[in-house]
Amino acid sequence: MDLWNSKDAVNLWTVLHFCFGLLVASFSYIAGLGLVLCLYVASLLAVIWEIYERFKGTDESVLNSLFDILATIVASCLAYYLITYFKKFPYVPHVLIIGSVVAYIIFYMKGKLYL
């Protein structure tokens, strides 16, 4: 069973969408954007990406596309909450950025090896 290209609601590519949501929230916080604008940006970018994937001809279910968008939004909410909850530690957004980029690289390279 190929967990990267499955047509289930959630596959391993959903992890990359989650990482992207963490990145959007972290950069939004650093830029001084509020939660609402952060979620707007994350949602907009996620929808644009899914449209691009459809245009490109990626073979995934509509349910998977919806869950990828949802993963981005949930990750953005979670990251923004963590950043504001641990406000006394100013390095939290940077840790989320570094962790997301490392995870993204690992998962992306792993996915490329299976494709």
Short mmCIF file of all heavy atoms in Angstrom, two decimals, residues 79-114:
data_model
loop_
_atom_site.label_atom_id
_atom_site.label_comp_id
_atom_site.label_asym_id
_atom_site.label_seq_id
_atom_site.Cartn_x
_atom_site.Cartn_y
_atom_site.Cartn_z
N ALA A 79 -0.30 26.40 15.74
CA ALA A 79 0.96 27.14 15.85
C ALA A 79 0.73 28.52 16.46
O ALA A 79 1.48 28.96 17.33
CB ALA A 79 1.61 27.28 14.48
N TYR A 80 -0.30 29.20 16.00
CA TYR A 80 -0.57 30.54 16.54
C TYR A 80 -0.90 30.46 18.03
O TYR A 80 -0.47 31.30 18.81
CB TYR A 80 -1.71 31.21 15.76
CG TYR A 80 -1.55 32.70 15.68
CD1 TYR A 80 -0.86 33.28 14.62
CD2 TYR A 80 -2.07 33.53 16.66
CE1 TYR A 80 -0.69 34.64 14.55
CE2 TYR A 80 -1.92 34.90 16.60
CZ TYR A 80 -1.23 35.45 15.55
OH TYR A 80 -1.05 36.81 15.49
N TYR A 81 -1.64 29.43 18.42
CA TYR A 81 -1.96 29.24 19.83
C TYR A 81 -0.68 28.98 20.64
O TYR A 81 -0.48 29.57 21.70
CB TYR A 81 -2.94 28.08 20.02
CG TYR A 81 -3.12 27.69 21.46
CD1 TYR A 81 -3.89 28.47 22.31
CD2 TYR A 81 -2.48 26.57 21.97
CE1 TYR A 81 -4.03 28.12 23.65
CE2 TYR A 81 -2.62 26.22 23.30
CZ TYR A 81 -3.39 27.00 24.14
OH TYR A 81 -3.52 26.66 25.46
N LEU A 82 0.17 28.10 20.15
CA LEU A 82 1.41 27.79 20.86
C LEU A 82 2.30 29.02 20.98
O LEU A 82 2.91 29.26 22.03
CB LEU A 82 2.16 26.66 20.15
CG LEU A 82 1.55 25.28 20.23
CD1 LEU A 82 2.31 24.30 19.34
CD2 LEU A 82 1.53 24.78 21.67
N ILE A 83 2.38 29.79 19.92
CA ILE A 83 3.22 30.98 19.94
C ILE A 83 2.70 31.99 20.96
O ILE A 83 3.48 32.56 21.73
CB ILE A 83 3.30 31.61 18.53
CG1 ILE A 83 4.09 30.69 17.60
CG2 ILE A 83 3.95 32.99 18.58
CD1 ILE A 83 3.97 31.05 16.13
N THR A 84 1.41 32.21 20.98
CA THR A 84 0.86 33.18 21.92
C THR A 84 0.84 32.64 23.36
O THR A 84 1.02 33.39 24.31
CB THR A 84 -0.55 33.63 21.51
OG1 THR A 84 -1.40 32.49 21.36
CG2 THR A 84 -0.51 34.41 20.22
N TYR A 85 0.65 31.34 23.52
CA TYR A 85 0.64 30.74 24.85
C TYR A 85 2.03 30.81 25.49
O TYR A 85 2.17 31.06 26.68
CB TYR A 85 0.16 29.28 24.78
CG TYR A 85 0.03 28.62 26.13
CD1 TYR A 85 -1.07 28.89 26.94
CD2 TYR A 85 1.00 27.75 26.59
CE1 TYR A 85 -1.20 28.29 28.18
CE2 TYR A 85 0.89 27.14 27.83
CZ TYR A 85 -0.22 27.42 28.62
OH TYR A 85 -0.34 26.83 29.86
N PHE A 86 3.04 30.57 24.68
CA PHE A 86 4.42 30.63 25.16
C PHE A 86 5.08 31.94 24.77
O PHE A 86 6.24 31.98 24.35
CB PHE A 86 5.23 29.44 24.62
CG PHE A 86 4.76 28.11 25.13
CD1 PHE A 86 4.08 27.24 24.29
CD2 PHE A 86 5.00 27.74 26.43
CE1 PHE A 86 3.65 26.01 24.76
CE2 PHE A 86 4.57 26.51 26.91
CZ PHE A 86 3.89 25.64 26.08
N LYS A 87 4.35 33.02 24.91
CA LYS A 87 4.81 34.34 24.48
C LYS A 87 6.10 34.78 25.19
O LYS A 87 6.90 35.52 24.64
CB LYS A 87 3.72 35.37 24.73
CG LYS A 87 3.89 36.63 23.96
CD LYS A 87 2.67 37.50 24.09
CE LYS A 87 2.54 38.25 22.79
NZ LYS A 87 1.23 38.73 22.53
N LYS A 88 6.30 34.30 26.41
CA LYS A 88 7.51 34.69 27.14
C LYS A 88 8.77 34.06 26.54
O LYS A 88 9.87 34.43 26.89
CB LYS A 88 7.39 34.38 28.63
CG LYS A 88 7.25 32.91 28.96
CD LYS A 88 7.10 32.72 30.46
CE LYS A 88 6.89 31.24 30.76
NZ LYS A 88 6.79 31.02 32.19
N PHE A 89 8.60 33.09 25.65
CA PHE A 89 9.73 32.48 24.94
C PHE A 89 9.69 32.97 23.49
O PHE A 89 9.01 32.38 22.64
CB PHE A 89 9.64 30.96 24.98
CG PHE A 89 9.60 30.38 26.37
CD1 PHE A 89 8.43 29.84 26.86
CD2 PHE A 89 10.73 30.41 27.17
CE1 PHE A 89 8.39 29.32 28.14
CE2 PHE A 89 10.70 29.88 28.45
CZ PHE A 89 9.52 29.34 28.94
N PRO A 90 10.41 34.02 23.17
CA PRO A 90 10.31 34.64 21.84
C PRO A 90 10.83 33.77 20.70
O PRO A 90 10.63 34.10 19.53
CB PRO A 90 11.13 35.92 21.98
CG PRO A 90 12.07 35.66 23.10
CD PRO A 90 11.36 34.72 24.03
N TYR A 91 11.49 32.67 21.01
CA TYR A 91 12.06 31.83 19.96
C TYR A 91 11.09 30.76 19.45
O TYR A 91 11.41 30.02 18.53
CB TYR A 91 13.34 31.16 20.46
CG TYR A 91 13.15 30.38 21.74
CD1 TYR A 91 12.64 29.10 21.72
CD2 TYR A 91 13.46 30.94 22.98
CE1 TYR A 91 12.44 28.38 22.88
CE2 TYR A 91 13.27 30.23 24.15
CZ TYR A 91 12.76 28.96 24.10
OH TYR A 91 12.57 28.26 25.25
N VAL A 92 9.90 30.66 20.02
CA VAL A 92 8.94 29.61 19.62
C VAL A 92 8.62 29.66 18.12
O VAL A 92 8.65 28.62 17.46
CB VAL A 92 7.66 29.66 20.49
CG1 VAL A 92 6.60 28.72 19.95
CG2 VAL A 92 7.99 29.33 21.93
N PRO A 93 8.34 30.84 17.53
CA PRO A 93 8.07 30.84 16.08
C PRO A 93 9.25 30.31 15.27
O PRO A 93 9.07 29.60 14.28
CB PRO A 93 7.80 32.30 15.74
CG PRO A 93 7.51 32.97 17.03
CD PRO A 93 8.18 32.18 18.09
N HIS A 94 10.46 30.63 15.71
CA HIS A 94 11.64 30.19 14.98
C HIS A 94 11.84 28.67 15.10
O HIS A 94 12.23 28.02 14.13
CB HIS A 94 12.88 30.93 15.50
CG HIS A 94 12.74 32.41 15.37
ND1 HIS A 94 12.20 33.19 16.37
CD2 HIS A 94 13.03 33.26 14.36
CE1 HIS A 94 12.17 34.45 15.98
NE2 HIS A 94 12.67 34.52 14.76
N VAL A 95 11.53 28.13 16.26
CA VAL A 95 11.60 26.68 16.44
C VAL A 95 10.58 25.98 15.54
O VAL A 95 10.88 24.97 14.91
CB VAL A 95 11.38 26.30 17.93
CG1 VAL A 95 11.19 24.79 18.09
CG2 VAL A 95 12.52 26.80 18.79
N LEU A 96 9.38 26.55 15.46
CA LEU A 96 8.35 25.97 14.58
C LEU A 96 8.77 26.05 13.12
O LEU A 96 8.54 25.11 12.35
CB LEU A 96 7.01 26.68 14.79
CG LEU A 96 6.30 26.40 16.10
CD1 LEU A 96 5.06 27.28 16.22
CD2 LEU A 96 5.93 24.94 16.22
N ILE A 97 9.40 27.14 12.74
CA ILE A 97 9.86 27.29 11.35
C ILE A 97 10.93 26.24 11.05
O ILE A 97 10.85 25.52 10.05
CB ILE A 97 10.39 28.71 11.09
CG1 ILE A 97 9.22 29.71 11.10
CG2 ILE A 97 11.15 28.78 9.77
CD1 ILE A 97 9.65 31.16 11.10
N ILE A 98 11.93 26.14 11.91
CA ILE A 98 13.02 25.19 11.68
C ILE A 98 12.50 23.76 11.69
O ILE A 98 12.82 22.96 10.80
CB ILE A 98 14.13 25.38 12.73
CG1 ILE A 98 14.83 26.72 12.50
CG2 ILE A 98 15.15 24.24 12.67
CD1 ILE A 98 15.74 27.15 13.64
N GLY A 99 11.65 23.44 12.66
CA GLY A 99 11.09 22.09 12.73
C GLY A 99 10.25 21.75 11.51
O GLY A 99 10.32 20.64 10.98
N SER A 100 9.47 22.71 11.04
CA SER A 100 8.64 22.49 9.86
C SER A 100 9.47 22.29 8.61
O SER A 100 9.17 21.42 7.79
CB SER A 100 7.69 23.67 9.65
OG SER A 100 6.81 23.79 10.72
N VAL A 101 10.50 23.09 8.45
CA VAL A 101 11.35 22.97 7.27
C VAL A 101 12.08 21.63 7.27
O VAL A 101 12.14 20.95 6.24
CB VAL A 101 12.35 24.16 7.18
CG1 VAL A 101 13.41 23.90 6.14
CG2 VAL A 101 11.60 25.45 6.89
N VAL A 102 12.59 21.23 8.43
CA VAL A 102 13.28 19.93 8.52
C VAL A 102 12.30 18.79 8.21
O VAL A 102 12.61 17.89 7.42
CB VAL A 102 13.92 19.75 9.92
CG1 VAL A 102 14.37 18.32 10.13
CG2 VAL A 102 15.08 20.72 10.09
N ALA A 103 11.12 18.83 8.82
CA ALA A 103 10.12 17.79 8.55
C ALA A 103 9.71 17.80 7.09
O ALA A 103 9.56 16.74 6.47
CB ALA A 103 8.89 17.99 9.44
N TYR A 104 9.55 18.99 6.52
CA TYR A 104 9.16 19.12 5.12
C TYR A 104 10.21 18.47 4.22
O TYR A 104 9.88 17.70 3.31
CB TYR A 104 8.98 20.59 4.75
CG TYR A 104 8.36 20.79 3.40
CD1 TYR A 104 6.99 20.86 3.25
CD2 TYR A 104 9.15 20.90 2.26
CE1 TYR A 104 6.42 21.03 2.00
CE2 TYR A 104 8.58 21.08 1.02
CZ TYR A 104 7.22 21.14 0.89
OH TYR A 104 6.66 21.31 -0.33
N ILE A 105 11.47 18.77 4.49
CA ILE A 105 12.54 18.22 3.67
C ILE A 105 12.57 16.69 3.79
O ILE A 105 12.67 15.98 2.78
CB ILE A 105 13.90 18.82 4.07
CG1 ILE A 105 13.94 20.29 3.64
CG2 ILE A 105 15.05 18.05 3.46
CD1 ILE A 105 15.12 21.06 4.21
N ILE A 106 12.46 16.19 5.01
CA ILE A 106 12.49 14.73 5.22
C ILE A 106 11.33 14.05 4.51
O ILE A 106 11.51 13.09 3.77
CB ILE A 106 12.48 14.40 6.73
CG1 ILE A 106 13.81 14.81 7.36
CG2 ILE A 106 12.20 12.92 6.96
CD1 ILE A 106 13.82 14.77 8.87
N PHE A 107 10.10 14.57 4.71
CA PHE A 107 8.94 13.95 4.09
C PHE A 107 8.94 14.11 2.58
O PHE A 107 8.57 13.21 1.85
CB PHE A 107 7.65 14.51 4.69
CG PHE A 107 7.19 13.77 5.89
CD1 PHE A 107 7.73 14.07 7.14
CD2 PHE A 107 6.24 12.77 5.80
CE1 PHE A 107 7.32 13.37 8.26
CE2 PHE A 107 5.83 12.08 6.91
CZ PHE A 107 6.37 12.37 8.15
N TYR A 108 9.38 15.27 2.10
CA TYR A 108 9.40 15.50 0.66
C TYR A 108 10.40 14.56 -0.01
O TYR A 108 10.10 13.95 -1.04
CB TYR A 108 9.74 16.95 0.35
CG TYR A 108 9.65 17.27 -1.11
CD1 TYR A 108 8.42 17.43 -1.73
CD2 TYR A 108 10.79 17.38 -1.90
CE1 TYR A 108 8.31 17.71 -3.07
CE2 TYR A 108 10.71 17.67 -3.24
CZ TYR A 108 9.47 17.83 -3.82
OH TYR A 108 9.38 18.10 -5.16
N MET A 109 11.59 14.45 0.57
CA MET A 109 12.60 13.57 -0.01
C MET A 109 12.16 12.11 0.07
O MET A 109 12.37 11.33 -0.85
CB MET A 109 13.95 13.76 0.68
CG MET A 109 14.55 15.12 0.42
SD MET A 109 14.63 15.58 -1.33
CE MET A 109 15.78 14.40 -1.94
N LYS A 110 11.53 11.74 1.16
CA LYS A 110 11.03 10.37 1.31
C LYS A 110 9.96 10.09 0.25
O LYS A 110 9.92 9.03 -0.35
CB LYS A 110 10.45 10.18 2.71
CG LYS A 110 10.09 8.79 3.06
CD LYS A 110 11.31 7.99 3.40
CE LYS A 110 10.88 6.68 4.00
NZ LYS A 110 11.88 5.66 3.90
N GLY A 111 9.08 11.08 0.03
CA GLY A 111 8.04 10.93 -0.99
C GLY A 111 8.62 10.84 -2.39
O GLY A 111 8.14 10.09 -3.23
N LYS A 112 9.67 11.60 -2.64
CA LYS A 112 10.31 11.56 -3.97
C LYS A 112 10.96 10.21 -4.21
O LYS A 112 11.03 9.75 -5.33
CB LYS A 112 11.35 12.67 -4.10
CG LYS A 112 10.76 14.03 -4.31
CD LYS A 112 10.04 14.06 -5.63
CE LYS A 112 9.53 15.43 -5.93
NZ LYS A 112 8.71 15.49 -7.11
N LEU A 113 11.44 9.59 -3.16
CA LEU A 113 12.06 8.27 -3.33
C LEU A 113 11.03 7.22 -3.70
O LEU A 113 11.34 6.25 -4.37
CB LEU A 113 12.78 7.86 -2.04
CG LEU A 113 13.98 8.71 -1.65
CD1 LEU A 113 14.55 8.25 -0.31
CD2 LEU A 113 15.06 8.64 -2.72
N TYR A 114 9.78 7.39 -3.27
CA TYR A 114 8.73 6.42 -3.58
C TYR A 114 8.06 6.69 -4.92
O TYR A 114 7.46 5.82 -5.48
CB TYR A 114 7.65 6.42 -2.49
CG TYR A 114 8.07 5.72 -1.24
CD1 TYR A 114 8.23 6.40 -0.06
CD2 TYR A 114 8.30 4.35 -1.25
CE1 TYR A 114 8.62 5.77 1.10
CE2 TYR A 114 8.68 3.70 -0.11
CZ TYR A 114 8.84 4.40 1.07
OH TYR A 114 9.22 3.75 2.20
#
